[in-house]
Amino acid sequence: MVTPEGSAAAPVKAPFDLAFAASALIDDSGTVVGWTAAAERLLGYPAAEALHRPAATLLASPQQAARAAEMAAQWRGHGDWGGLAGTRHRDGRRIEVGLRVSALTAPDGQERWLVSAIDLAHTPSWAVSSTILEGFLTRSPIGMAVFSPDLRYVWLNETLEHFGGVSRERRIGMRLADVLPGMDTAAMEAVMRKVLLTGEPVIDHEFRGWTLAAPYRERSFSLSFYRLDDAEGRAMGVCYMVTDVTDRWRARARLALLNEAGACVGSTLDVTRTAQELADVSVPRLADFVAVDLLEPVLHGGEPPPGHELGRVPLRRVGMRSVNPGTPEPIWAVGERIDVGEASPHVRCMTSGHSEVEGDIADGRASWLTGDPARMAKIRESGGRSMMWVPLRARGTVLGVVTFVRHRRPVPFENDDLLLAEELAARAAVCVDNARRWTREHEAALALQRSLLPQTLAGGMALEIAYRYLPTDIQDGVGGDWFDVIPLSGARVALVVGDVVGHGLTAAATMGRLRTAVHTLADMDLPPDELLAHLDDLVIRLAEEESPDESVATAVTGATCLYTVYDPVTRRLTMARAGHPPPAVVDPQGRVAFAELPAGPPLGLGAMPFESAELELAEGSVVALYTDGLIDTFGTDLDVGLNRIAHALARPGLPVRELCSAMLEHLPPGPPADDVALLVARTRALAADRFVSWELRVDPAVVSEARALATRQLAGWGMEELLPTTELVVSELVTNAIRHASGPIRLRLIRQSVLICEVYDGSNTVPRLRHARTTDEGGRGLFLVAQLTRRWGTRYTADGKLIWAEQDIPDSTAG
């Protein structure tokens, strides 16, 4: 290089190794102070003409001269920079060159600039290609940049300048971390180093970050890197291409969020849980805080009001979620009533059916809260930047409103966010409406089941009764479990437990039909095995009648039942079951056993006959009847459930109410998976002074003796008020037995809550109540008995029959 002093400047290694470059040295004032032969060949100026002239005169236009001066001032002391420029040849033609400018310090301490230029029209093929593509690359919609081997910007196009919001002047000669603070630039530089080292390109490396200039947005870019080599294959730098794929990224994020919402929202048929799931899935990916408010009728399964009345129906907060621990943002807590007027965005969006978006809610624009300064201050304290109100609407019915809030992210909600929120709300609304409908059906089924189950149960003097009923979880609906205590003749009591297949209104209605049938059959005083046989026939008939409706037929067929009868006089328990778990029997010492009772088929199958079994119980024994919901809870091994029941019952002397509670203690927390019906009874024996019986011979003369025996017994019990009626009943029943029956005759009186008169004979003939005409001489006996007593009936035994009648005992003699 020729300098004014004729000496050569010290060689400087630039970031590019420019083997074909023409060089010039320029001092701090912009004057050419060094000129090379290559520079003379490039621009035509000999050293004598080039030295001491302003370097700006060598550029093609004043604008480029001004730009060069600006760049020199900006990059003073910051190393090298470069780019493309137009220069002016001595003969006036324009020459496009690639420039590289390096800062130097002369021996005298003065600052110099070493400018290296390459003629793009007379350079190797890679440089020629760069010239041809320069216009295309500069105007390409794809951002492009070239980095030196030490990973500094040496060139970028306008598109990349726009992507990052950082000007070209601030990038040239700088590293990524210098111009993109806050981003993970170390990862990008690691990729570029790998490309420089291996020469293998990297395609579609996704990178996300925030723009550095307003308006601030989070964006996603697809980066591709490849190495730039010279003709000898030496690495000259790395080029990377940038494509804005924010739309693709957001579309993927929206799709992922919607997919997750489809899997998470509506996992149960519980209204409040569904609302909470919507809030959970929306934070933090869509909003920083979400609240779900439902109309109060929706919470109870009711129908929401029409649109013009929505403003008068209260809202209640049922779910919310925040990015902040403890959820400090809400002005209404979960469970609170939302007090907003008809002018509020909550009501407006529900009434119109259209969502609303508000930009900055912290600047006092929340006019719907102007009358509530405390809550207005709460909004301002939360730092809310943007809000959306989206109606929850399904099947043409408005169910509530969802509020989305941003306070951490600087970006307000945009149209894409609103579309996503509306899609989430629409999907969640269908789930909420399904839960509402299930809630309504569940409540209706519960009400039906409660009306069909006994309201009060009493065991009289025979049994001490306690019971529990736990309805199933709302997920499956109300089941068909039922229980009953039925007073029978002769101071006996029937204990019944049954289970209908399925859940819901159909199961509850079927349970009511079976319970009514059992009551009717029990009034016929049938033995347990015969009663189940008749019930089985009824179920088969019902299934045939309901065959077009598969749900009803299925609910009836396969039902189970356990029917037991306890006689406090003999202390005997007679049992039969149709596919139901056996009863647990506990003696007074606390020893537990499950009755060995033939299982019998479930009702409606008509497969095998039912068999009964009989046990004699000590006074104070406990009998526990239950449905399979109590034992199936513990898994497929029913023995585990039976052992737990036995363990809970092995507590002698514990009141039956506490025994019920002990049996339920081992159930998992929360509503059971199946209905649980539990009926526990402690036996009592009828005291010997409360009943008496006499054997009578078959002789008409014995009728007067029977009256006398009954009269003396009632006098002994202090029941003289019942003597006239009792004498008539005894006369008629004994006379009928002598006249129409055979075999031995037995008269028995039982005193409990009623006075019972029983006459047994060995015949199976059925007595018939007749309505005699005025001209008939007889036939009025049973009619008079029916008119004068509380009730009467016939009960068959293994060797005969028994006719009985009951009378109410006056309060004065009831003890």
Side-chain angles (χ1 to χ4, degrees), residues 289-327:
F289 171 74
V290 172
V292 184
D293 307 319
L294 297 180
L295 295 165
E296 283 198 344
V298 174
L299 299 176
H300 310 293
E303 288 290 338
H308 64 277
E309 297 180 9
L310 288 172
R312 296 191 288 272
V313 178
L315 284 164
R316 195 166 292 276
R317 180 143 298 172
V318 293
M320 63 182 181
R321 182 67 179 270
S322 171
V323 293
N324 294 322
T327 316

Short mmCIF file of all heavy atoms in Angstrom, two decimals, residues 289-327:
data_model
loop_
_atom_site.label_atom_id
_atom_site.label_comp_id
_atom_site.label_asym_id
_atom_site.label_seq_id
_atom_site.Cartn_x
_atom_site.Cartn_y
_atom_site.Cartn_z
N PHE A 289 -55.70 -14.78 34.29
CA PHE A 289 -56.75 -15.03 35.28
C PHE A 289 -58.05 -15.31 34.54
O PHE A 289 -58.37 -14.63 33.56
CB PHE A 289 -56.93 -13.83 36.21
CG PHE A 289 -58.13 -13.95 37.12
CD1 PHE A 289 -58.13 -14.81 38.20
CD2 PHE A 289 -59.28 -13.21 36.86
CE1 PHE A 289 -59.25 -14.93 39.01
CE2 PHE A 289 -60.39 -13.32 37.67
CZ PHE A 289 -60.37 -14.18 38.75
N VAL A 290 -58.77 -16.33 34.98
CA VAL A 290 -60.05 -16.70 34.36
C VAL A 290 -61.06 -16.96 35.46
O VAL A 290 -60.74 -17.61 36.47
CB VAL A 290 -59.91 -17.94 33.46
CG1 VAL A 290 -61.28 -18.43 32.99
CG2 VAL A 290 -59.04 -17.64 32.26
N ALA A 291 -62.26 -16.44 35.29
CA ALA A 291 -63.36 -16.69 36.22
C ALA A 291 -64.57 -17.16 35.43
O ALA A 291 -64.85 -16.66 34.34
CB ALA A 291 -63.71 -15.42 37.00
N VAL A 292 -65.27 -18.15 35.98
CA VAL A 292 -66.47 -18.70 35.35
C VAL A 292 -67.65 -18.44 36.27
O VAL A 292 -67.64 -18.86 37.43
CB VAL A 292 -66.33 -20.21 35.08
CG1 VAL A 292 -67.55 -20.74 34.35
CG2 VAL A 292 -65.07 -20.49 34.28
N ASP A 293 -68.64 -17.73 35.76
CA ASP A 293 -69.84 -17.39 36.52
C ASP A 293 -71.05 -18.01 35.83
O ASP A 293 -71.24 -17.83 34.62
CB ASP A 293 -70.01 -15.87 36.61
CG ASP A 293 -68.75 -15.18 37.14
OD1 ASP A 293 -68.14 -15.74 38.07
OD2 ASP A 293 -68.39 -14.12 36.61
N LEU A 294 -71.87 -18.71 36.60
CA LEU A 294 -73.05 -19.37 36.06
C LEU A 294 -74.31 -18.78 36.66
O LEU A 294 -74.31 -18.32 37.82
CB LEU A 294 -73.01 -20.87 36.33
CG LEU A 294 -71.86 -21.66 35.69
CD1 LEU A 294 -71.97 -23.14 36.07
CD2 LEU A 294 -71.85 -21.50 34.19
N LEU A 295 -75.38 -18.81 35.87
CA LEU A 295 -76.68 -18.42 36.39
C LEU A 295 -77.10 -19.40 37.48
O LEU A 295 -76.91 -20.62 37.35
CB LEU A 295 -77.71 -18.39 35.27
CG LEU A 295 -77.47 -17.34 34.18
CD1 LEU A 295 -78.31 -17.65 32.95
CD2 LEU A 295 -77.78 -15.94 34.70
N GLU A 296 -77.70 -18.89 38.54
CA GLU A 296 -78.01 -19.74 39.68
C GLU A 296 -78.92 -20.92 39.34
O GLU A 296 -78.72 -22.02 39.85
CB GLU A 296 -78.62 -18.90 40.82
CG GLU A 296 -77.58 -18.10 41.58
CD GLU A 296 -78.08 -17.62 42.91
OE1 GLU A 296 -79.31 -17.63 43.13
OE2 GLU A 296 -77.24 -17.23 43.75
N PRO A 297 -79.93 -20.76 38.48
CA PRO A 297 -80.74 -21.94 38.16
C PRO A 297 -79.95 -23.08 37.53
O PRO A 297 -80.28 -24.25 37.71
CB PRO A 297 -81.78 -21.38 37.17
CG PRO A 297 -81.86 -19.93 37.48
CD PRO A 297 -80.48 -19.54 37.87
N VAL A 298 -78.87 -22.74 36.82
CA VAL A 298 -78.06 -23.77 36.16
C VAL A 298 -77.40 -24.68 37.19
O VAL A 298 -77.25 -25.89 36.97
CB VAL A 298 -77.00 -23.12 35.26
CG1 VAL A 298 -76.05 -24.15 34.68
CG2 VAL A 298 -77.67 -22.33 34.15
N LEU A 299 -77.03 -24.12 38.34
CA LEU A 299 -76.34 -24.90 39.36
C LEU A 299 -77.21 -26.01 39.92
O LEU A 299 -76.71 -27.01 40.43
CB LEU A 299 -75.88 -23.98 40.50
CG LEU A 299 -74.91 -22.87 40.11
CD1 LEU A 299 -74.62 -21.98 41.31
CD2 LEU A 299 -73.62 -23.46 39.57
N HIS A 300 -78.52 -25.83 39.85
CA HIS A 300 -79.44 -26.81 40.40
C HIS A 300 -80.16 -27.60 39.32
O HIS A 300 -81.16 -28.26 39.60
CB HIS A 300 -80.45 -26.11 41.30
CG HIS A 300 -79.82 -25.19 42.30
ND1 HIS A 300 -79.04 -25.66 43.34
CD2 HIS A 300 -79.81 -23.83 42.42
CE1 HIS A 300 -78.59 -24.64 44.05
NE2 HIS A 300 -79.04 -23.52 43.52
N GLY A 301 -79.67 -27.50 38.08
CA GLY A 301 -80.27 -28.25 37.00
C GLY A 301 -81.48 -27.59 36.38
O GLY A 301 -82.13 -28.20 35.53
N GLY A 302 -81.78 -26.36 36.79
CA GLY A 302 -82.96 -25.68 36.27
C GLY A 302 -82.72 -25.06 34.90
O GLY A 302 -81.60 -24.97 34.41
N GLU A 303 -83.81 -24.62 34.30
CA GLU A 303 -83.74 -23.97 32.99
C GLU A 303 -83.40 -22.49 33.17
O GLU A 303 -84.04 -21.80 33.96
CB GLU A 303 -85.08 -24.10 32.25
CG GLU A 303 -85.37 -25.50 31.75
CD GLU A 303 -84.47 -25.92 30.61
OE1 GLU A 303 -83.92 -25.01 29.93
OE2 GLU A 303 -84.30 -27.12 30.39
N PRO A 304 -82.40 -21.98 32.44
CA PRO A 304 -82.10 -20.54 32.51
C PRO A 304 -83.27 -19.74 31.95
O PRO A 304 -84.07 -20.23 31.15
CB PRO A 304 -80.85 -20.40 31.64
CG PRO A 304 -80.30 -21.78 31.51
CD PRO A 304 -81.48 -22.69 31.57
N PRO A 305 -83.38 -18.48 32.35
CA PRO A 305 -84.48 -17.63 31.86
C PRO A 305 -84.25 -17.20 30.42
O PRO A 305 -83.14 -17.33 29.89
CB PRO A 305 -84.44 -16.44 32.81
CG PRO A 305 -83.00 -16.34 33.21
CD PRO A 305 -82.51 -17.76 33.28
N PRO A 306 -85.27 -16.68 29.77
CA PRO A 306 -85.07 -16.14 28.41
C PRO A 306 -84.15 -14.93 28.45
O PRO A 306 -83.90 -14.33 29.49
CB PRO A 306 -86.49 -15.76 27.98
CG PRO A 306 -87.29 -15.66 29.24
CD PRO A 306 -86.67 -16.63 30.20
N GLY A 307 -83.65 -14.55 27.26
CA GLY A 307 -82.62 -13.52 27.17
C GLY A 307 -82.98 -12.20 27.81
O GLY A 307 -82.15 -11.58 28.48
N HIS A 308 -84.22 -11.73 27.64
CA HIS A 308 -84.57 -10.40 28.17
C HIS A 308 -84.66 -10.38 29.69
O HIS A 308 -84.75 -9.32 30.29
CB HIS A 308 -85.90 -9.93 27.56
CG HIS A 308 -87.06 -10.80 27.94
ND1 HIS A 308 -87.35 -11.98 27.27
CD2 HIS A 308 -88.01 -10.66 28.90
CE1 HIS A 308 -88.43 -12.53 27.81
NE2 HIS A 308 -88.84 -11.76 28.79
N GLU A 309 -84.64 -11.55 30.33
CA GLU A 309 -84.70 -11.60 31.79
C GLU A 309 -83.36 -11.94 32.43
O GLU A 309 -83.29 -12.08 33.65
CB GLU A 309 -85.75 -12.63 32.22
CG GLU A 309 -87.17 -12.31 31.79
CD GLU A 309 -88.16 -13.36 32.26
OE1 GLU A 309 -87.74 -14.23 33.06
OE2 GLU A 309 -89.34 -13.31 31.85
N LEU A 310 -82.31 -12.10 31.62
CA LEU A 310 -81.03 -12.53 32.17
C LEU A 310 -80.48 -11.54 33.18
O LEU A 310 -79.80 -11.93 34.13
CB LEU A 310 -80.03 -12.74 31.03
CG LEU A 310 -80.27 -13.97 30.15
CD1 LEU A 310 -79.33 -13.97 28.96
CD2 LEU A 310 -80.10 -15.24 30.96
N GLY A 311 -80.70 -10.25 32.96
CA GLY A 311 -80.16 -9.25 33.86
C GLY A 311 -80.76 -9.31 35.25
O GLY A 311 -80.18 -8.77 36.20
N ARG A 312 -81.91 -9.96 35.40
CA ARG A 312 -82.57 -10.03 36.70
C ARG A 312 -82.30 -11.35 37.43
O ARG A 312 -82.77 -11.55 38.54
CB ARG A 312 -84.07 -9.85 36.53
CG ARG A 312 -84.45 -8.47 36.01
CD ARG A 312 -85.94 -8.24 36.09
NE ARG A 312 -86.67 -9.02 35.11
CZ ARG A 312 -86.92 -8.60 33.87
NH1 ARG A 312 -86.47 -7.40 33.49
NH2 ARG A 312 -87.59 -9.34 33.02
N VAL A 313 -81.55 -12.24 36.79
CA VAL A 313 -81.22 -13.52 37.41
C VAL A 313 -79.79 -13.46 37.94
O VAL A 313 -78.87 -13.10 37.21
CB VAL A 313 -81.36 -14.68 36.40
CG1 VAL A 313 -80.97 -16.00 37.04
CG2 VAL A 313 -82.79 -14.74 35.88
N PRO A 314 -79.58 -13.79 39.21
CA PRO A 314 -78.23 -13.65 39.78
C PRO A 314 -77.24 -14.64 39.19
O PRO A 314 -77.58 -15.77 38.82
CB PRO A 314 -78.45 -13.92 41.27
CG PRO A 314 -79.70 -14.73 41.34
CD PRO A 314 -80.55 -14.26 40.20
N LEU A 315 -76.00 -14.17 39.09
CA LEU A 315 -74.87 -15.01 38.70
C LEU A 315 -74.13 -15.44 39.96
O LEU A 315 -74.11 -14.72 40.97
CB LEU A 315 -73.91 -14.25 37.79
CG LEU A 315 -74.31 -14.05 36.33
CD1 LEU A 315 -73.45 -12.95 35.73
CD2 LEU A 315 -74.17 -15.33 35.54
N ARG A 316 -73.49 -16.59 39.88
CA ARG A 316 -72.68 -17.04 41.00
C ARG A 316 -71.35 -17.57 40.48
O ARG A 316 -71.31 -18.30 39.49
CB ARG A 316 -73.41 -18.12 41.81
CG ARG A 316 -72.77 -18.37 43.18
CD ARG A 316 -73.70 -19.16 44.07
NE ARG A 316 -74.89 -18.43 44.43
CZ ARG A 316 -74.96 -17.58 45.45
NH1 ARG A 316 -73.89 -17.33 46.19
NH2 ARG A 316 -76.10 -16.97 45.72
N ARG A 317 -70.28 -17.16 41.15
CA ARG A 317 -68.95 -17.60 40.72
C ARG A 317 -68.74 -19.05 41.14
O ARG A 317 -68.88 -19.40 42.31
CB ARG A 317 -67.87 -16.71 41.32
CG ARG A 317 -66.44 -17.11 40.92
CD ARG A 317 -65.58 -15.90 40.73
NE ARG A 317 -66.06 -15.04 39.66
CZ ARG A 317 -65.56 -13.84 39.39
NH1 ARG A 317 -64.56 -13.37 40.10
NH2 ARG A 317 -66.06 -13.10 38.41
N VAL A 318 -68.37 -19.89 40.16
CA VAL A 318 -68.23 -21.32 40.46
C VAL A 318 -66.83 -21.85 40.13
O VAL A 318 -66.52 -22.99 40.48
CB VAL A 318 -69.28 -22.15 39.69
CG1 VAL A 318 -70.66 -21.85 40.21
CG2 VAL A 318 -69.22 -21.88 38.20
N GLY A 319 -66.00 -21.06 39.47
CA GLY A 319 -64.66 -21.53 39.16
C GLY A 319 -63.75 -20.38 38.78
O GLY A 319 -64.20 -19.40 38.18
N MET A 320 -62.47 -20.47 39.15
CA MET A 320 -61.50 -19.45 38.74
C MET A 320 -60.09 -20.01 38.89
O MET A 320 -59.85 -20.96 39.64
CB MET A 320 -61.67 -18.16 39.53
CG MET A 320 -61.44 -18.27 41.01
SD MET A 320 -61.74 -16.70 41.85
CE MET A 320 -61.37 -17.14 43.55
N ARG A 321 -59.16 -19.38 38.17
CA ARG A 321 -57.75 -19.81 38.19
C ARG A 321 -56.88 -18.61 37.88
O ARG A 321 -57.26 -17.75 37.07
CB ARG A 321 -57.53 -20.90 37.16
CG ARG A 321 -56.12 -21.47 37.12
CD ARG A 321 -55.78 -22.23 38.39
NE ARG A 321 -54.43 -22.78 38.35
CZ ARG A 321 -54.11 -23.98 37.87
NH1 ARG A 321 -55.08 -24.74 37.37
NH2 ARG A 321 -52.89 -24.41 37.90
N SER A 322 -55.71 -18.54 38.50
CA SER A 322 -54.79 -17.42 38.30
C SER A 322 -53.37 -17.94 38.18
O SER A 322 -53.03 -19.02 38.68
CB SER A 322 -54.89 -16.44 39.47
OG SER A 322 -53.86 -15.46 39.40
N VAL A 323 -52.53 -17.16 37.49
CA VAL A 323 -51.11 -17.49 37.45
C VAL A 323 -50.44 -17.16 38.77
O VAL A 323 -49.33 -17.64 39.05
CB VAL A 323 -50.41 -16.72 36.31
CG1 VAL A 323 -50.90 -17.18 34.96
CG2 VAL A 323 -50.59 -15.21 36.46
N ASN A 324 -51.07 -16.34 39.58
CA ASN A 324 -50.50 -15.95 40.87
C ASN A 324 -50.94 -16.92 41.95
O ASN A 324 -52.12 -17.27 42.03
CB ASN A 324 -50.95 -14.53 41.25
CG ASN A 324 -50.40 -13.49 40.31
OD1 ASN A 324 -49.26 -13.58 39.86
ND2 ASN A 324 -51.21 -12.49 39.98
N PRO A 325 -50.03 -17.37 42.80
CA PRO A 325 -50.41 -18.27 43.89
C PRO A 325 -51.44 -17.61 44.80
O PRO A 325 -51.34 -16.42 45.13
CB PRO A 325 -49.09 -18.51 44.63
CG PRO A 325 -48.02 -18.17 43.63
CD PRO A 325 -48.59 -17.09 42.77
N GLY A 326 -52.43 -18.38 45.19
CA GLY A 326 -53.45 -17.85 46.08
C GLY A 326 -54.55 -17.09 45.38
O GLY A 326 -55.52 -16.68 46.01
N THR A 327 -54.43 -16.86 44.08
CA THR A 327 -55.45 -16.17 43.28
C THR A 327 -55.88 -14.87 43.95
O THR A 327 -56.99 -14.74 44.45
CB THR A 327 -56.67 -17.08 43.05
OG1 THR A 327 -56.22 -18.38 42.72
CG2 THR A 327 -57.54 -16.54 41.92
#
